[in-house]
């Protein structure tokens, strides 16, 4: 049985939700392995829209097991709110189909406040976070002062852990002239919500080992995109976790040999939410058209996404970094009205041509894209399910992308509907 990792090959918002939903129908287990409730996956099933933030996309499918791995940071109140919200739409969420890693770290109210304080005081240097406390929670994890799911089992232990983390945060808050965060109410609130979280808690690494022995199909669901990876992205304008495919093993508790195939979700143009370098950004009417036709607003924050041409250099780079085997190309139909379409095939930096994104943010902000231009097909592709029915110019563009990035395009999405997909190869059946 194949186990598949799904990652975004750009800055996120590539349409992972739709692809993961399609794959989850064939999987037995779906695992979130990094990120927090800053991820937004929108699923449209039988006319019902589900907007998921923490819950794995498999939760909307019957007879699937959904798991939040140790690599995810969890806001317990946001999670319970999301569970109740999806239950109201008739979705089952109980201990038989939902598991939380006992080793997952918690996002607490002071993390959210710290996120907001930093963004508000950073001025032009702000990162453009979702202000949900994800970054500060990961900092506490690395600093070995975090509260984990397992800490909710013991009031005595929780009390000690809160003392440890608040010494750190209150020193910073005091230095910034902010009010000291009081422990008592937070402790009471955590003890109150603890039973609702702990009932789902299990050693996920052990469950994965059981699933492997039973030859279950496992789907690892990434959040954000590889260009937001804390090591390999456009640092410092990145998220606070590793978004690359190899993080699926670390963030869930299994060896890399568990992963058989990496699917990179890739938009037919490029978008980005928040601050940071964006070589192919279009601050003109074409960029506005892409945003309007593509409905480019964040699922979680509703922030308007920046839009630009497809950057082949970046996608080729993320394919190499994340070991991507195949590409699911999304939102092809958004390009239907354009007279011409461009693809970035190299950069210029200080008068020299380069074929990769440099690591230094100063260089990333200076590079200029070099484009190859394609004639637009000016025909409707929305809803097409067979590659032979696509306009010839659309196929020319698709094959040029495939050739340049050096990875096979395994599917092409022609609308937000799950059924409107041109399937070239099924990762589960290769």
């Amino acid at each position: 049985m194949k186990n598949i990792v799904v990652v975004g090959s750009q800055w996120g918002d590539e349409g992972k939700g739709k692809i993961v939903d399609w794959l989850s129908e064939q999987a037995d287990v779906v695992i979130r392995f990094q990120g927090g409730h800053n991820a937004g996956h929108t699923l449209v099933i039988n006319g019902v829209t589900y907007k998921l933030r923490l819950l794995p996309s498999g939760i909307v499918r019957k007879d699937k097991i959904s798991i939040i791995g140790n690599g995810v940071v969890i806001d317990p109140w946001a999670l319970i709110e999301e569970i109740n919200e999806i239950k109201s739409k008739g979705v089952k969420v109980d201990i038989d189909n939902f598991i939380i890693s006992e080793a997952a770290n918690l996002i607490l109210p002071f993390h959210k406040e710290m996120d907001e304080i930093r963004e508000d005081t950073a001025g032009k240097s702000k990162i453009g976070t979702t202000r949900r406390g994800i970054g500060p929670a990961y900092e506490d994890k690395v600093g070995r002062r975090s509260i984990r799911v397992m800490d909710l089992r013991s009031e005595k232990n929780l009390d000690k852990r809160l003392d440890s983390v608040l010494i750190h945060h209150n020193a910073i808050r005091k230095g910034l002239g902010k009010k000291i965060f009081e422990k008592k109410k937070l402790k009471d609130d955590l003890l109150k919500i603890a039973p609702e979280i702990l009932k789902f808690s299990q050693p996920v690494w052990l469950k994965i080992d059981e699933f492997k022995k039973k030859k279950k199909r496992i789907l690892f669901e990434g959040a954000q995109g590889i260009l937001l990876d804390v090591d390999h992205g456009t640092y410092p304008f990145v998220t606070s976790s590793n978004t690359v495919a190899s993080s699926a093993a670390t963030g869930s508790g299994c060896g890399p040999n568990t992963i058989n195939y990496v699917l990179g979700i890739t938009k037919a143009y490029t978008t980005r939410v928040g601050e940071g370098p964006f070589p192919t950004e279009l601050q003109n009417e074409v960029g506005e058209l892409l945003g309007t036709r593509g409905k480019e607003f964040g699922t979680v924050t509703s922030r308007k996404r920046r839009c630009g041409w497809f950057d082949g250099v970046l996608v080729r780079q993320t394919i190499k970094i994340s070991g991507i085997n195949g590409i699911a190309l999304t939102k092809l139909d958004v390009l239907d009205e354009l007279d011409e379409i461009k693809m970035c095939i190299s950069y210029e930096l200080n008068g020299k041509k380069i074929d990769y994104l440099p690591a230094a943010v100063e260089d990333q902000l200076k590079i200029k894209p070099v484009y190859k231009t394609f004639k637009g097909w000016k025909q409707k592709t929305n809803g097409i399910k067979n590659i032979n029915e696509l306009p010839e110019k659309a196929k020319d563009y698709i094959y040029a992308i495939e050739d340049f990035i050096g990875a096979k395009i395994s599917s092409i999405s022609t609308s937000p509907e799950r059924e409107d997909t041109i399937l070239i190869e099924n990762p589960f059946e290769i």
Side-chain angles (χ1 to χ4, degrees), residues 283-321:
Q283 294 178 313
N284 56 23
E285 65 277 5
V286 177
E288 288 293 323
L289 177 65
L290 293 174
T292 302
R293 283 184 54 80
K295 296 180 173 59
E296 297 296 352
F297 295 92
T299 300
V300 172
T301 62
S302 296
R303 287 186 296 176
K304 186 177 180 181
R305 296 174 186 140
R306 300 154 64 190
C307 298
W309 294 122
F310 182 84
D311 193 328
V313 178
L314 282 184
V315 173
R316 183 175 61 187
Q317 187 164 324
T318 60
I319 285 170
K320 295 178 187 299
I321 289 169

Side-chain angles (χ1 to χ4, degrees), residues 185-408:
K185 184 178 184 306
L186 175 57
K187 179 184 168 184
D188 291 343
D189 289 344
L190 282 170
L191 290 172
K192 183 178 179 181
I193 202 171
E196 298 182 66
I197 300 296
L198 288 173
K199 67 182 179 182
F200 299 114
S201 172
Q202 292 191 48
V204 164
W205 65 270
L206 189 58
K207 295 301 295 183
I208 293 175
D209 190 56
E210 290 177 15
F211 296 142
K212 288 168 65 178
K213 288 175 180 176
K214 293 177 181 177
K215 299 191 183 300
K216 300 288 187 183
R217 284 180 167 182
I218 303 173
L219 178 63
F220 297 90
E221 178 182 7
Q224 290 89 44
I226 296 168
L227 291 169
L228 291 175
D229 185 278
V230 70
D231 287 305
H232 300 289
T234 48
Y235 189 91
F237 299 96
V238 292
T239 193
S240 298
S241 62
N242 287 110
T243 61
V244 292
S246 53
S247 183
T250 309
S252 60
C254 62
N257 60 348
T258 301
I259 300 166
N260 306 116
Y261 188 98
V262 180
L263 181 65
I265 316 302
T266 306
K267 200 174 281 187
Y269 49 103
T270 311
T271 61
R272 176 166 200 171
V273 171
E275 309 300 319
F278 186 170
T280 64
E281 183 173 11
L282 295 170
Q283 294 178 313
N284 56 23
E285 65 277 5
V286 177
E288 288 293 323
L289 177 65
L290 293 174
T292 302
R293 283 184 54 80
K295 296 180 173 59
E296 297 296 352
F297 295 92
T299 300
V300 172
T301 62
S302 296
R303 287 186 296 176
K304 186 177 180 181
R305 296 174 186 140
R306 300 154 64 190
C307 298
W309 294 122
F310 182 84
D311 193 328
V313 178
L314 282 184
V315 173
R316 183 175 61 187
Q317 187 164 324
T318 60
I319 285 170
K320 295 178 187 299
I321 289 169
S322 211
I324 291 172
N325 301 104
I327 289 291
L329 191 68
T330 64
K331 292 200 168 185
L332 180 71
D333 56 302
V334 174
L335 305 177
D336 287 355
E337 294 183 1
L338 296 174
D339 294 317
E340 64 176 27
I341 298 162
K342 296 183 180 182
M343 177 175 74
C344 177
I345 56 171
S346 66
Y347 300 133
E348 283 186 3
L349 176 63
N350 300 325
K352 295 182 179 179
K353 187 172 286 189
I354 58 173
D355 59 359
Y356 65 94
L357 183 73
V361 69
E362 294 87 354
D363 291 337
Q364 293 172 1
L365 290 168
K366 287 191 294 185
I367 57 176
K368 296 179 181 179
V370 177
Y371 291 114
K372 181 177 181 178
T373 302
F374 300 82
K375 288 185 178 180
W377 43 90
K378 303 288 286 184
Q379 292 175 250
K380 180 181 175 182
T381 62
N382 185 285
I384 289 178
K385 300 178 181 64
N386 187 315
I387 194 166
N388 295 322
E389 296 175 9
L390 287 174
E392 287 302 316
K393 289 184 174 61
K395 286 190 278 188
D396 290 343
Y397 179 63
I398 291 165
Y399 296 142
I401 288 176
E402 186 176 61
D403 182 63
F404 185 82
I405 63 178
K408 184 177 179 62

